[in-house]
Amino acid sequence: MKQIEKVLYDGFTYIDGGVCAAKGFRANGVYCGIKENPTKKPDLCLVVSDKLCRAAGVFTSNKVKAAPVLVSKAHLEQTGGKAWGMVLSSKNANCCNADGIDKANRVCELAAEQMGVQPEELLIAQTGVIGQILPIEPFEQGMGKVYDGLSAENHEQAAIAIMTTDTVPKEVAVEFQLGGKTCHVGAMGKGSGMICPNMATTLNVVTTDCAISAELLQTALSDVVQYTYNCLYIDGDQSTNDTCVVLANGLAENAEITEQNDDYAVFRQALYIAMSNITKMLAKDGEGATKLLECTVTGAKDRENALAVAKSVIASDLLKCAMFGADANWGRVLCAVGYAPAEFDIDQVAVTLASRAGSVDVCKNGAGIDFSEDIAKTVLLEDEIEILVSVGDGPAAATAWGCDLTYDYVKINGDYRS
Amino acid sequence: MKQIEKVLYDGFTYIDGGVCAAKGFRANGVYCGIKENPTKKPDLCLVVSDKLCRAAGVFTSNKVKAAPVLVSKAHLEQTGGKAWGMVLSSKNANCCNADGIDKANRVCELAAEQMGVQPEELLIAQTGVIGQILPIEPFEQGMGKVYDGLSAENHEQAAIAIMTTDTVPKEVAVEFQLGGKTCHVGAMGKGSGMICPNMATTLNVVTTDCAISAELLQTALSDVVQYTYNCLYIDGDQSTNDTCVVLANGLAENAEITEQNDDYAVFRQALYIAMSNITKMLAKDGEGATKLLECTVTGAKDRENALAVAKSVIASDLLKCAMFGADANWGRVLCAVGYAPAEFDIDQVAVTLASRAGSVDVCKNGAGIDFSEDIAKTVLLEDEIEILVSVGDGPAAATAWGCDLTYDYVKINGDYRS
């Protein structure tokens, strides 16, 4: 999947290369058979840097934390935010297993042996079914193969290896300048179920050749997550394995960013572009989804209130079904606005539905207005829908992303241990 | 639908009669054509008492409140909690309409004229599509007809008249003794989408011939709602029209309940039996549902924590899909337990799945245990499933009810303005 962010920012250019777009990063993905799979879809990947990176991460806030989450957090603490790379796998979440930590550590050891580094200098993320014992043999047999195939070209193989119910790999990369040096930020991510906005979501790896301190890298990541992954809602189920890591190797040779100056602002913007693109890709490829939904709330008294309303709308199962059916059932928008935990005057609420096919006002001052059902249908038959909600005259706005609720969501998740 | 509460309480007997089981109540439901409907399903109903009742209500906490909610609340305030009965209609929510209040008042006037009482001595509830202007002519033409057919036998017609996407009418009634007098509590309710536990749900009418003060009637209703309708979750969408009213006419001639004594405890129990039965009926007949799900959490430090976990489990779309597919994917239970806003030790969590076909332990000490997939399948193929979660050694427990998520939920709600 290619970038779908509409806004083009001055000074930033989309390029190919995903997590290998930044200098000195190589990646690969192979099938090692973590779960038998006749399609041989890759299930194990490595993303490594030629130089030791500054590393930062955000992780699930679910009380149930998968073993790889606990191991990655421990490694970041042990090293003070340094890593040579990351090992990721799909098909088994390695969560709720008594021997999960041992296995996650063993996977790091296997990768570290190949790379000739210390295990704690690697991060790990895993995704798949919860509560099934992780077989370690596939890792023992596959780690050499995935390591030997590492290259700057194999970024898409890596993005494929972390897919679960995703239908397409998700990658993005941007190029920009810092003090005359060409820099890059690249990313890959996977969905596509068990996704709710609360401290990162899903597995995401961001790489950059910018030089930046570990502390500011963490600051930028934690900040941007609030405007991207934490504004994403697929099904309200917050995963046990959510992990978003950024690795910065400094090979662009810009002056190291050590304070929140102009360079920091440019880097933060690059991070935002990469992560907001992945966020939208995740929404559009949500389990069973046929449409990307984007709800923007304006006129709120502060961002917190605006975001609460946007999330409430994007999370409504009834509205998600109506969007699947291309039905301009704006009453469901207003209903969801009404139960959002936010302060505003419901009598000032206005709603517009829009897409590349046009737009239609459906509600003003909290009450319905006449509109053409034909035009509304045309607007809603598109595959990217905007729901614009104005809640008053306040200065704040926020956007949240989601998708429609379809037969296929039920099919995917009603089937045996998908 | 008949009572499905499993526990039989000493001194209480299930009887027929729904909202007309209590002395002095009559009801009726007719088709008046609020929305054209070839099946002529009744869409207008009256529930009236031979004697002025004490009345209490709980209503939606959605900021968007339908006109009938606002009118009923105003009437209860004006009369200090008295009413001769209630008028209810389906097919149009009379919500988000500029003229909604006028129309709701007019409907009360039409009923009051037939009955020879004051409009403010009637309550009103409406359900259906949000944001469509309510046609008043059908009420003008139908009110005489529904009034003329009032009888103690027509309770089911009334229960049918409030149905929307419900597949069956929902009624229950119990008989019990208070100081040698035979008393009754009867109820009817409708679902079946836009249901989330937060200050009552759906439309519910409870009638009783007990003599009880208006204040204690409200106390009992508000209390029991916390253990019944507020523990119900269909789709997370909290309706704009939620209304639960109880009418008490005192014709049983028991000594009026004016304090929280033993008689109050018996009355509260009767109310609980009626309302918990309707709650389960609503869950079982949730939009598109094939299974009733009941999650009981034990070992919590207090009821608040227990209920937070139970609601989190019952609300998980992923788990709801797995239950539809009869898949013992207990990892999804643990995931939902983990993101519940509650305090407990995740390493102490145990999960058992049960039904009338048996039970199977699937998780202990926060990790998976060996179990027979065949037995689990047999357990989960039943249409009433219990999910038992122990979160520790604490004294508190709570139960929440819901249903599975199916293709039909999407179909019902993806269709044009259902």
Side-chain angles (χ1 to χ4, degrees), chain A residues 62-63 237 327 339 342 417, chain B residues 62-63 237 327 338-339 342 417:
Chain A
N62 195 315
K63 278 192 191 63
D237 272 292
D327 177 13
Y339 61 70
R417 236 58 54 88
Chain B
N62 195 314
K63 280 193 189 63
D237 273 292
D327 176 14
Y339 61 70
R417 236 58 55 90

Side-chain angles (χ1 to χ4, degrees), chain B residues 91-158:
Chain B
K91 292 292 175 192
N92 185 312
N94 193 18
C95 179
C96 303
N97 297 328
D99 65 353
I101 301 272
D102 291 346
K103 295 276 181 70
N105 277 325
R106 179 71 186 130
V107 172
C108 287
E109 274 170 24
L110 288 167
E113 279 166 20
Q114 294 288 336
M115 295 168 62
V117 301
Q118 296 304 308
E120 63 270 23
E121 292 169 335
L122 287 176
L123 301 173
I124 179 170
Q126 300 180 293
T127 179
V129 179
I130 299 172
Q132 296 191 343
I133 300 294
L134 184 76
I136 202 69
E137 300 74 18
F139 292 89
E140 289 170 344
Q141 286 161 21
M143 199 62 79
K145 189 172 151 202
V146 67
Y147 177 78
D148 291 344
L150 281 171
S151 84
E153 283 71 48
N154 282 347
H155 52 90
E156 196 185 48
Q157 285 302 102

